Amino acid sequence: MTMLELQDVRLSIRRKRILNGVNLTIEQPEVVGIIGQNGSGKTTLLRAACGLARCNGGRLTVLGTQVSTGGRIPQGIGVVFDPPALIADLTGLQNLITISKIRNEMSRADCERLLIKIGLDPGEKRRVSKYSQGMKKRLGIAIAVMESPRIVFMDEPTNGLDPEGIVSLRSWIAELKASGACVVVVGHYLQEMRIVCDRIFTMADGTLQAASENQTGSL
Amino acid sequence: MLRAELYRIVHRRWFYAFIIAGICLGLGGFVQQWYTNIDMGAAPHQYNGVYVFLQIFGADFNSSWGGVIPLIAVLASGDLLWADLATGFAMPMMLRTGVRRYFIDKFATNAIAVFCGTVLFLLIDLGLAILWRGGLQWPPVLKFVMVKGLPQLTRGETAFSGIVRSSYQPLVLPWLFWHLPYVYTALEILINGLVLAAVSSVAVVASLWLRNRYLVLATPFIVYFAFNVGLQFMHLFEWIPTSMGGSFFYTTASLTSILLYWAAPLVLLFVIVFLTASGRYRRLRLSPKEMNG
């Protein structure tokens, strides 16, 4: 089964065309990078792939669920939002427990183990509103990967992470790929993408193009 | 998602502020009623705590309780949907539940939390009232205050048959109040829970249209006063069963009409969420910055 398939996907926000015929197919576990300038539509593309924004045209299929037409939410996906979508007045552990109670797939002990793995202290008493940017990002990553999703979308995952966190992120991405998941990473830095991604695309004028081999720097 | 949201609400300080506000309101009411009853000619030894409790929480809209209902109803979780949409936390939740289900569960959780919280603080207030003055003594002056007088005791009437008859006969509610005060008080507590759940649900629906936290929290206040106090100013008292307190004085409403009056907005708001929330969310057409809060 194709994991992710976008065929001529179009989407407008307030009459402004953001996605203008995007095509992309992912058939096997791999890491795909998408780079582009601010406002080029990378985040909107992720949002559409999650079923959180309705496309105006084209065909978007995620794990066998056609997302584009009905605006349905595909099952088995995880998303790292930027900035991370967290409950500010709960602790990190309480954030994970709240989410885990929806599907009941993880116990409190599982949540604590995941926090330790991601580099956070499960016994931390501070509310998330008091967390640093990097801690929030780590918690956002934990929420995205907590129920073993088959596709993980990451919107600028290195934002706010310290060098140690970036190195850890690379190993988490590799781990996800090894477990059979597909990871779509959106960001600005081509150098960083080259380290973790199997394929890299550039988003420009609402379309995706394969990044050239001699392209360098950041966008 | 119900469990997740309930977990979140009970870990929120505002939920406890809601409970404490209800308890404080009861304590303040005891003091106020102490003086009111003296003014009415009832000596303190002539009435009990249950009667004082009903004077506070069973009153109509022209009371402290009536005035603060929309204010405390939104404390527990009235702004949670707005906060989720504003901070983007709605998105990881929706990914796990689906968009429509998310909004429905959010609506249901708010109603359940407010209903249960109200019942909890009213039971605490009732307990305090009984501790303060137990027994089942009604002040004799009450007989003269009640406009249409007390209905006669029907031979063989029980609590169950009384509730059944009160569901369609207004005059049975005063009978329940007089002869089976604990049954009447239990009904009063449940109906107050329903009232607050209905009022707080307005904030959940307002979150779909308003992008300002304070406007969202003010909406139940505006709607509540427009539809209830406003009708009183138009001399349409008969349209407003309020809670059951109005019954023991005026006997204008049956139990069914009270339940219908407060269940109707709750059902209507649920239908609005069910039919419009999903489409409304996708039509927001937010910019990427707004999408992520």
Side-chain angles (χ1 to χ4, degrees):
Chain A
M1 182 176 66
T2 306
M3 299 182 93
L4 178 68
E5 188 174 23
L6 289 85
Q7 289 179 352
D8 194 27
V9 170
R10 280 165 278 128
L11 192 151
S12 302
I13 294 178
R14 296 191 184 119
R15 295 183 183 172
K16 186 186 174 194
R17 181 60 62 88
I18 306 294
L19 304 181
N20 192 17
V22 176
N23 293 291
L24 175 68
T25 304
I26 302 175
E27 292 187 335
Q28 58 188 11
E30 61 177 325
V31 183
V32 174
I34 299 174
I35 54 172
Q37 292 179 330
N38 288 333
S40 60
K42 306 182 299 292
T43 300
T44 306
L45 179 63
L46 286 197
R47 196 175 150 93
C50 303
L52 295 173
R54 187 169 288 179
C55 303
N56 300 116
R59 185 184 169 87
L60 204 166
T61 310
V62 183
L63 295 171
T65 303
Q66 192 163 329
V67 176
S68 48
T69 50
R72 289 168 62 197
I73 304 274
Q75 293 299 301
I77 65 169
V79 185
V80 178
F81 295 99
D82 183 54
L86 307 167
I87 310 174
D89 56 356
L90 295 183
T91 65
L93 182 61
Q94 286 172 340
N95 265 269
L96 281 193
I97 292 174
T98 303
I99 296 275
S100 72
K101 285 184 181 294
I102 296 174
R103 287 189 182 153
N104 260 341
E105 288 176 7
M106 287 181 70
S107 65
R108 183 190 177 94
D110 293 333
C111 294
E112 288 175 347
R113 270 195 292 274
L114 179 59
L115 277 181
I116 292 168
K117 185 180 171 188
I118 216 86
L120 293 174
D121 177 13
E124 175 70 64
K125 298 291 180 202
R126 279 185 296 167
R127 293 169 191 275
V128 164
S129 56
K130 306 285 182 196
Y131 277 20
S132 69
Q133 200 65 20
M135 290 169 80
K136 286 180 184 171
K137 184 61 92 176
R138 284 168 188 260
L139 187 58
I141 293 170
I143 288 175
V145 302
M146 65 188 286
E147 284 149 345
S148 308
R150 292 190 59 208
I151 299 183
V152 182
F153 297 102
M154 295 187 168
D155 190 3
E156 304 189 19
T158 54
N159 261 7
L161 281 182
D162 53 21
E164 189 190 336
I166 293 173
V167 172
S168 303
L169 176 68
R170 288 177 196 152
S171 68
W172 298 329
I173 290 175
E175 207 174 298
L176 282 167
K177 184 185 166 188
S179 69
C182 152
V183 183
V184 179
V185 186
V186 163
H188 292 294
Y189 301 104
L190 191 60
Q191 309 287 25
E192 183 60 39
M193 291 287 187
R194 286 223 165 100
I195 297 172
V196 293
C197 297
D198 300 311
R199 286 192 288 161
I200 303 171
F201 295 88
T202 306
M203 187 107 196
D205 300 326
T207 57
L208 277 183
Q209 291 147 5
S212 59
E213 285 297 317
N214 51 8
Q215 202 170 341
T216 56
S218 63
L219 286 164
Chain B
M1 192 183 124
L2 284 173
R3 283 181 65 232
E5 277 297 304
L6 288 172
Y7 173 87
R8 183 178 168 190
I9 289 172
V10 298
H11 283 83
R12 203 168 178 256
R13 66 185 89 173
W14 287 109
F15 181 72
Y16 296 98
F18 165 65
I19 304 284
I20 291 166
I23 295 169
C24 290
L25 197 71
L27 295 175
F30 294 158
V31 176
Q32 185 196 354
Q33 289 306 325
W34 173 276
Y35 291 106
T36 305
N37 288 333
I38 289 172
D39 288 345
M40 287 173 68
H45 67 275
Q46 289 181 309
Y47 56 87
N48 63 5
V50 177
Y51 172 65
V52 173
F53 174 83
L54 290 174
Q55 278 187 308
I56 301 165
F57 295 106
D60 59 18
F61 291 97
N62 305 316
S63 66
S64 310
W65 173 235
V68 300
I69 279 177
L71 296 177
I72 69 166
V74 295
L75 272 184
S77 63
D79 62 335
L80 271 188
L81 178 58
W82 173 87
D84 278 9
L85 293 173
T87 59
F89 190 71
M91 290 190 281
M93 303 289 266
M94 284 176 186
L95 291 178
R96 290 163 170 85
T97 60
V99 178
R100 176 177 284 171
R101 179 70 192 272
Y102 167 79
F103 284 107
I104 290 171
D105 283 358
K106 204 81 183 169
F107 181 89
T109 319
N110 173 69
I112 292 168
V114 173
F115 180 87
C116 293
T118 306
V119 169
L120 176 64
F121 77 66
L122 288 178
L123 285 175
I124 293 171
D125 279 325
L126 179 63
L128 292 172
I130 292 171
L131 278 177
W132 171 56
R133 196 172 289 280
L136 288 171
Q137 177 80 27
W138 289 155
V141 71
L142 197 62
K143 273 191 177 176
F144 303 104
V145 174
M146 295 181 82
V147 178
K148 294 182 182 174
L150 283 167
Q152 293 302 306
L153 178 64
T154 306
R155 188 184 294 274
E157 191 85 85
T158 63
F160 178 73
S161 64
I163 293 171
V164 171
R165 264 205 325 129
S166 68
S167 65
Y168 57 93
Q169 287 184 0
L171 284 172
V172 183
L173 278 177
W175 180 89
L176 272 181
F177 165 75
W178 197 258
H179 297 288
L180 296 166
Y182 286 120
V183 173
Y184 182 90
T185 307
L187 290 172
E188 176 70 55
I189 288 172
L190 294 177
I191 285 180
N192 269 317
L194 179 65
V195 172
L196 265 76
V199 172
S200 68
S201 298
V202 176
V204 177
V205 175
S207 305
L208 291 172
W209 277 269
L210 303 173
R211 307 256 68 84
N212 179 294
R213 174 180 237 144
Y214 302 105
L215 274 181
V216 165
L217 293 175
T219 314
F221 191 82
I222 296 163
V223 171
Y224 176 84
F225 276 85
F227 279 85
N228 296 294
V229 181
L231 286 174
Q232 289 193 81
F233 277 109
M234 293 160 68
H235 298 285
L236 295 171
F237 293 95
E238 297 284 328
W239 286 28
I240 313 162
T242 65
S243 55
M244 291 167 71
S247 302
F248 77 72
F249 279 128
Y250 305 118
T251 64
T252 55
S254 64
L255 187 58
T256 304
S257 71
I258 296 170
L259 288 171
L260 282 177
Y261 187 83
W262 289 109
L266 201 59
V267 172
L268 179 68
L269 292 166
F270 175 79
V271 170
I272 290 173
V273 168
F274 184 81
L275 293 179
T276 67
S278 178
R280 171 71 193 156
Y281 178 72
R282 288 202 170 88
R283 273 196 301 276
L284 286 176
R285 295 291 189 209
L286 300 173
S287 68
K289 188 184 171 195
E290 287 171 306
M291 284 174 198
N292 292 327

